[in-house]
Amino acid sequence: MTKIARVVLQALLKAMNSILGLLGIAIVLYGLWLVRVWERDMDSSSSFDQYTTAPWVICTFIGAGVTLCIITGIGHLAANCGSGCCLSCYTLIICLLLLLETAMAADILLNNDWEKDLPYDPTGKFNDFKDFVESNFDMFKWIGLLIILAQAFSILLATALRSIGPEQVENCDSDEEYATARVPLMNHIVQPPEYIVAAKNTSNWNLNK
């Protein structure tokens, strides 16, 4: 039963963790699309000549997506090995991510001038993204709720998997349980040296005599 419970928890943890991976891939793709649009605008306008690097909006999207993909990789690794250290690190990372998301949500809801705290966006893509979120608020609300639930379940599953512990290799009562794997070595006949064979033949001849 312990082995079955471990397999089920590992599968569920990977499934919940994959939601973060899909979100990270989507954010990275959106960031790459913003890079393409930004390069096109730079070629067609001279107002972007002073910006030799990508604006903070693009870097933020790509960085957030890559971070979520890395967290997904850590989660899959922790689920596969079942190590208490890996699971603890993964749980700590998810908790920090939840705290960061909670702080950002609280700042947006409680601070009416939260946009003034952000740096200037020369591309204007942040305002476009904000307008898109506001026009599809119901959809993004359910997406955000799904992500929060997936993170919360990931913490619970990682904690439960950590309490079970990694899969232990059963100890053998005797070496006979591994006899099948060592049959070729056991059946290998080592020929004794010639002088030992000669001495045995001489001894047998004297006894018979």
Side-chain angles (χ1 to χ4, degrees), residues 59-75:
C59 296
T60 301
F61 275 107
I62 296 178
V66 172
T67 301
L68 290 177
C69 292
I70 293 175
I71 293 175
T72 301
I74 296 174

Side-chain angles (χ1 to χ4, degrees), residues 5-174:
R6 183 183 295 107
V7 171
V8 172
L9 289 175
Q10 288 176 340
L12 291 176
L13 181 58
K14 290 180 182 179
M16 295 294 102
N17 197 43
S18 298
I19 297 177
L20 293 179
L22 294 175
L23 177 63
I25 293 174
I27 294 177
V28 170
L29 293 177
Y30 181 72
L32 295 177
W33 178 78
L34 289 179
V35 171
R36 178 60 180 170
V37 174
W38 174 66
E39 291 178 349
R40 184 186 61 190
D41 293 339
M42 286 186 63
D43 294 336
S44 60
S45 177
S46 60
S47 60
F48 297 98
D49 293 341
Q50 56 179 332
Y51 298 99
T52 57
T53 58
W56 67 270
V57 176
I58 299 176
C59 296
T60 301
F61 275 107
I62 296 178
V66 172
T67 301
L68 290 177
C69 292
I70 293 175
I71 293 175
T72 301
I74 296 174
H76 277 76
L77 178 62
N80 283 330
C81 66
S83 173
C85 181
C86 293
L87 290 170
S88 298
C89 292
Y90 174 72
T91 304
L92 179 62
I93 292 173
I94 296 297
C95 289
L96 293 176
L97 184 61
L98 277 175
L99 291 176
L100 178 61
E101 293 171 353
T102 304
M104 292 176 60
D107 184 57
I108 292 174
L109 294 176
L110 301 178
N111 185 10
N112 295 327
D113 298 330
W114 61 273
E115 296 183 23
K116 296 182 180 179
D117 298 334
L118 300 176
Y120 172 70
D121 178 27
T123 62
K125 297 303 177 183
F126 179 76
N127 292 328
D128 295 340
F129 179 75
K130 185 187 70 172
D131 295 337
F132 178 72
V133 172
E134 290 178 352
S135 60
N136 300 275
F137 182 74
D138 292 335
M139 180 184 68
F140 278 93
K141 179 178 66 176
W142 289 109
I143 292 176
L145 181 61
L146 177 63
I147 294 170
I148 298 247
L149 290 177
Q151 293 173 352
F153 276 116
S154 296
I155 294 175
L156 292 176
L157 292 171
T159 304
L161 189 59
R162 183 176 180 273
S163 64
I164 294 177
E167 185 175 1
Q168 301 292 335
V169 179
E170 296 181 356
N171 295 327
C172 296
D173 297 334
S174 63

